[in-house]
């Protein structure tokens, strides 16, 4: 348990309205593994990523790095934050357009007091590790492609030797062939450095090759979590099932009717009582998670 | 008879770059034909060119196209407005943010009524019926809203309603589900399929997603760097690809979860 989020709640207040974006989420990430948080827009997954990165205060709950609290709720960035780095969804926009790639990649080292020579050597090493030519270091963000920019962002995230990297939709804005290469690169870097990933994605089909564990979020709650194979191959929560069934199968010979599945699972959610998401006791308070297998938890009393 | 026929289409920029080279494709009535490719492949430019919607500085250099046997593009020049409509990737941005859905639909129906003679009184009822036909269960509530008050999926349903209101024979859909949640995407794809089945129109469906293409289209054109690499039945493209790029695209398609 390297990074632990305990009972995190986030409430956004705007114009007299309160939105409970995250409602009592607990999770942990170990070095060397990948926890994928899967959810649709509005599920609270990006808010969780920001809290874990120390970019956003939690309204309630606590964060700890190896039992040392940091971050929320005071927002003080302590020992944990240097060990946690982040890669954002839009790679080109996440780089300063006025900075050469070299400066962007080296920036995390400045806070550690590295010499210029060390920083140069390390930047060249990292840029090669992510599969780019060192000449890229002399270019500006607008002079490189989206796939190259995401490799740069990964190099930048890894240069200060973090223990956890948060990947917020790291491949969502990339082409399919580039996406596959970036996922392969992330897996290789993890094998080489032992870094842990917290990966945020809306695309459950993209997590199979990288995720060790999966947590499925819906309306600010974790509704199912467990080993990737258990969640993908034997999903228990009606929402997880709908999410998986809704992905179009890339084979015209395999019949698929995603809309029917989604409708059926939604009907299933409504029919099961007490239900964690659609019936009012669950929607308002949650039911807690029930164990259905080794480390496999489901917030659904009907499924448990 | 072939519904849409495109031949020898080339698209160039004002400074001489060729974006699409010698593209050809055909769509039959009641058929969904896909164009798949990555960003920069020219698939969206191809779709836009058929409706004369190319951005400034980009134009059709040559090519012929006809709809229901009537030529509308002759040697690179638009000679007639084809009876086709289009839906786009970001439905919320495609709608007018300052107008309620009702006002936008009524305005469209008024415009169409000039040609078709629909009475003013009938337009509100027609607007409601249109929204119902695209699977919106509470059309009155939706009519009262602004686009920003509706979800992306709901706005795309409204876009489909507006697109079919003109009773086109061809619908061009440019990445209509990109950016939508996967559960919403499944519902919009089903809406497009059922619209094709009930109205017998043809659809040109632009997408970068091989899963969406496999499950939605009967035939697909694979584009790469402005070139048509392959145009065949989806079954052939997915199981017997003839082009090296198609093979790479298939190989990069991420593994699917096995549980259905």
């Amino acid at each position: 348990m390297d990074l632990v989020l305990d009972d995190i709640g986030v409430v956004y207040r705007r114009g007299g309205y309160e939105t409970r974006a995250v409602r009592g989420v607990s999770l942990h990430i170990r070095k060397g593994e990948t926890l994928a948080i899967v959810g649709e827009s509005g599920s609270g997954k990006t808010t969780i990523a920001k809290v874990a990165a120390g970019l956003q205060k939690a309204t309630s709950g606590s964060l700890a790095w190896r039992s040392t609290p940091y971050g929320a709720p005071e927002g003080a960035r302590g020992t944990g934050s240097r060990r946690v780095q982040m890669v954002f969804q839009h790679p080109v926009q996440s780089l300063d357009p006025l900075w050469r790639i070299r400066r962007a990649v080296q920036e995390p080292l400045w806070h550690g007091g590295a010499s210029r020579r060390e920083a140069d050597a390390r930047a060249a090493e990292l840029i090669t590790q992510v599969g780019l030519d060192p000449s890229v270091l002399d270019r500006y963000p607008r002079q490189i492609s989206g796939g190259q920019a995401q490799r740069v962002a990964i190099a930048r995230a890894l240069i200060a030797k973090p223990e956890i990297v948060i990947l917020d939709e790291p491949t969502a804005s990339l082409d399919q062939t580039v996406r596959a290469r970036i996922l392969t690169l992330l897996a290789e870097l993890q094998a080489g450095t032992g870094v842990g990933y917290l990966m945020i994605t809306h695309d459950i089909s993209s997590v199979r090759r990288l995720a060790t564990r999966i947590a499925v979020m819906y309306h600010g709650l974790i509704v199912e979590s467990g080993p990737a194979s258990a969640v993908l191959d034997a999903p228990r929560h009606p929402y997880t099932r709908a999410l998986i069934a809704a992905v179009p199968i890339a084979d015209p010979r395999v019949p698929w009717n995603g809309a029917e599945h989604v409708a059926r699972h939604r009907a299933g959610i409504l029919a099961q009582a007490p239900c964690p998401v659609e019936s009012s006791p669950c929607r308002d308070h949650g039911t807690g998670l029930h164990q259905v297998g080794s480390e496999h938890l489901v917030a659904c009393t009907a499924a448990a | 008879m072939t519904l849409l026929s495109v031949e020898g289409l080339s698209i160039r920029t004002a400074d001489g770059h060729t974006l699409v080279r010698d593209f050809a494709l055909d769509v039959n009535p009641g058929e969904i034909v896909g164009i798949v490719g990555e960003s920069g492949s020219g698939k969206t430019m191809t779709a836009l060119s058929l409706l004369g919607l190319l951005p400034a500085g980009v134009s059709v250099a040559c090519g012929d196209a006809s709809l229901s046997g009537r030529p509308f593009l002759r040697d690179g020049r638009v000679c007639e407005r084809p009876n086709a409509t289009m839906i786009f990737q970001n439905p919320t941005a495609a709608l007018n943010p300052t107008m309620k859905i009702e006002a936008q639909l009524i305005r469209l129906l008024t415009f169409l009524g000039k040609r078709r003679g629909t009475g003013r009184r009938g337009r509100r009822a027609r607007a409601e019926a249109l929204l119902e036909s695209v699977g919106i269960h509470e059309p009155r509530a939706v009519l009262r809203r602004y686009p920003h008050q509706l979800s992306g999926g709901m706005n795309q349903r409204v876009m489909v309603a507006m697109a079919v209101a003109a009773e086109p024979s061809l619908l061009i859909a440019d990445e209509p589900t990109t950016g939508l949640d996967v559960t919403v995407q499944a519902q919009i794809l089903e809406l497009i399929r059922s619209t094709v089945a009930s109205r017998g129109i043809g659809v040109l469906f632009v997408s970068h997603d091989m899963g969406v293409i496999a499950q939605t289209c009967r035939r697909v054109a694979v584009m790469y760097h402005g070139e048509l690499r392959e145009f065949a039945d989806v079954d052939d493209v997915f199981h017997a690809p003839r082009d090296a790029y198609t093979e790479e695209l298939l190989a990069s398609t991420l593994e699917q979860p096995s549980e259905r």
Side-chain angles (χ1 to χ4, degrees):
Chain A
M1 314 283 180
D2 290 333
L3 180 64
V4 177
L5 279 70
D6 187 31
D7 201 20
I8 296 287
V10 178
V11 179
Y12 291 114
R13 293 188 181 87
R14 188 186 293 163
Y17 290 97
E18 280 197 352
T19 307
R20 296 163 72 198
V22 175
R23 302 188 283 162
V25 164
S26 298
L27 48 85
H28 60 270
I29 306 143
R30 302 183 196 96
K31 270 199 79 176
E33 70 160 15
T34 301
L35 170 65
I37 298 185
V38 180
E40 300 192 328
S41 43
S43 63
K45 60 187 191 302
T46 296
T47 301
I48 278 290
K50 288 182 184 165
V51 169
L55 296 173
Q56 155 107 44
K57 284 187 209 176
T59 313
S60 59
S62 61
L63 263 88
W65 175 260
R66 291 196 182 136
S67 311
T68 311
Y70 84 99
E74 297 83 11
R77 301 192 57 183
T79 52
S81 58
R82 265 196 303 279
R83 304 179 192 279
V84 180
Q85 290 288 329
M86 191 154 174
V87 172
F88 296 92
Q89 177 174 356
H90 299 287
V92 179
Q93 289 165 29
S94 72
L95 297 168
D96 190 322
L98 298 177
W99 285 15
R100 286 184 201 272
I101 301 300
R102 180 187 313 282
R103 191 168 167 196
V105 170
Q106 289 178 350
E107 191 196 12
L109 288 180
W110 300 346
H111 309 290
S115 73
R116 182 164 186 166
R117 183 178 300 185
E118 282 166 1
D120 280 347
R122 188 94 178 106
E125 183 188 337
L126 258 296
I127 212 77
T128 314
Q129 261 185 37
V130 297
L132 294 175
D133 189 273
S135 66
V136 167
L137 290 170
D138 292 317
R139 297 202 203 146
Y140 288 95
R142 65 185 152 78
Q143 296 172 310
I144 62 178
S145 70
Q148 287 175 324
Q150 199 58 296
R151 286 171 191 266
V152 166
I154 292 166
R156 173 188 158 90
L158 288 174
I159 196 162
K161 298 188 178 165
E163 306 199 55
I164 304 288
V165 172
I166 297 165
L167 308 162
D168 186 12
E169 303 268 11
T171 60
S173 62
L174 302 174
D175 280 329
Q176 194 164 291
T177 50
V178 182
R179 190 177 292 191
R181 283 180 221 135
I182 292 288
L183 289 176
T184 306
L185 170 69
L186 287 168
E188 285 168 6
L189 291 170
Q190 186 171 52
T193 61
V195 68
Y197 293 137
L198 173 62
M199 182 179 172
I200 309 293
T201 180
H202 68 279
D203 180 7
I204 199 165
S205 66
S206 73
V207 301
R208 186 182 283 273
R209 70 172 69 177
L210 205 57
T212 325
R213 289 182 298 125
I214 295 176
V216 180
M217 281 190 78
Y218 186 60
H219 286 199
L221 296 167
I222 289 182
V223 294
E224 181 160 4
S225 70
S229 55
V231 173
L232 290 173
D233 298 334
R236 299 293 288 268
H237 197 279
Y239 178 68
T240 313
R241 290 183 180 169
L243 209 52
I244 292 171
V247 179
I249 304 164
D251 183 347
R253 288 183 189 170
V254 181
W256 170 83
N257 194 332
E260 197 186 301
H261 278 285
V262 170
R264 199 164 68 218
H265 289 301
R266 287 229 188 281
I269 288 171
L270 292 171
Q272 288 167 4
C275 167
V277 277
E278 295 298 335
S279 77
S280 59
C282 305
R283 198 164 48 223
D284 297 340
H285 309 294
T287 60
L289 289 159
H290 306 272
Q291 187 150 5
V292 291
S294 172
E295 286 199 55
H296 191 175
L297 304 171
V298 177
C300 178
T301 46
Chain B
M1 190 181 78
T2 304
L3 176 67
L4 171 73
S5 160
V6 180
E7 275 173 34
L9 180 75
S10 290
I11 300 172
R12 280 198 204 123
T13 62
D15 53 2
H17 290 285
T18 301
L19 302 182
V20 174
R21 192 190 311 271
D22 199 20
F23 182 86
L25 152 156
D26 62 278
V27 179
N28 294 310
E31 186 185 34
I32 306 180
V33 170
I35 302 182
V36 73
E38 301 190 331
S39 38
S41 63
K43 58 189 191 303
T44 292
M45 288 298 160
T46 300
L48 292 174
S49 73
L50 297 178
L51 289 184
L53 294 175
L54 287 173
V58 180
S59 60
V60 175
C62 59
D64 297 279
S66 63
L67 191 65
S68 309
R70 293 174 64 100
F72 63 89
L73 191 70
R74 210 178 269 156
D75 200 23
R77 279 163 201 248
V78 179
C79 51
E80 194 180 294
R81 186 191 289 266
N83 184 21
T85 53
M86 187 160 180
I87 57 174
F88 300 89
Q89 174 170 347
N90 185 343
T92 308
L95 290 162
N96 186 331
T98 67
M99 287 167 77
K100 290 182 180 173
I101 300 299
E102 177 169 358
Q104 304 196 41
L105 274 171
I106 297 283
R107 191 164 77 161
L108 174 68
L109 291 172
T110 306
F111 170 75
L112 294 171
K114 280 180 189 151
R115 290 188 296 170
R116 288 168 210 277
T118 311
R120 186 186 283 185
R121 211 174 292 167
R123 282 176 205 135
R124 202 192 138 90
R126 180 95 204 280
E128 270 185 48
L130 268 173
L131 291 188
E132 262 174 355
S133 76
V134 295
I136 294 175
H137 300 302
E138 293 175 3
R140 287 182 187 196
V142 171
L143 285 172
R144 284 197 300 269
R145 300 276 162 81
Y146 289 96
H148 76 267
Q149 296 173 310
L150 298 170
S151 67
M154 192 62 79
N155 281 330
Q156 195 60 289
R157 285 184 192 270
V158 171
M159 283 299 294
V160 173
M162 293 175 82
V164 298
E167 291 173 16
S169 48
L170 177 75
L171 174 69
I172 299 177
D174 184 14
E175 304 263 12
T177 61
T178 303
L180 297 179
D181 282 330
V182 68
T183 51
V184 179
Q185 167 174 276
Q187 293 163 332
I188 296 293
L189 293 179
E190 178 54 33
L191 171 64
I192 291 171
R193 289 200 287 201
S194 64
T195 302
V196 168
S198 64
R199 293 173 178 263
I201 61 175
V203 175
L204 190 58
F205 192 108
V206 175
S207 178
H208 69 281
D209 186 318
M210 293 298 269
V212 168
I213 292 286
Q215 295 298 339
T216 309
C217 303
R218 194 181 296 165
R219 290 183 296 155
V220 62
V222 181
M223 289 187 79
Y224 182 67
H225 283 199
E227 285 182 6
L228 176 65
R229 301 300 283 263
E230 196 161 354
F231 179 44
D233 284 7
V234 283
D235 194 81
D236 291 336
V237 169
F238 280 75
H239 290 283
R242 293 185 166 191
D243 182 83
Y245 172 70
T246 310
E247 282 177 23
E248 192 192 346
L249 205 54
L250 287 168
S252 71
T253 302
L254 300 165
E255 304 101 293
Q256 306 288 325
S258 57
E259 170 82 9
R260 287 289 146 196

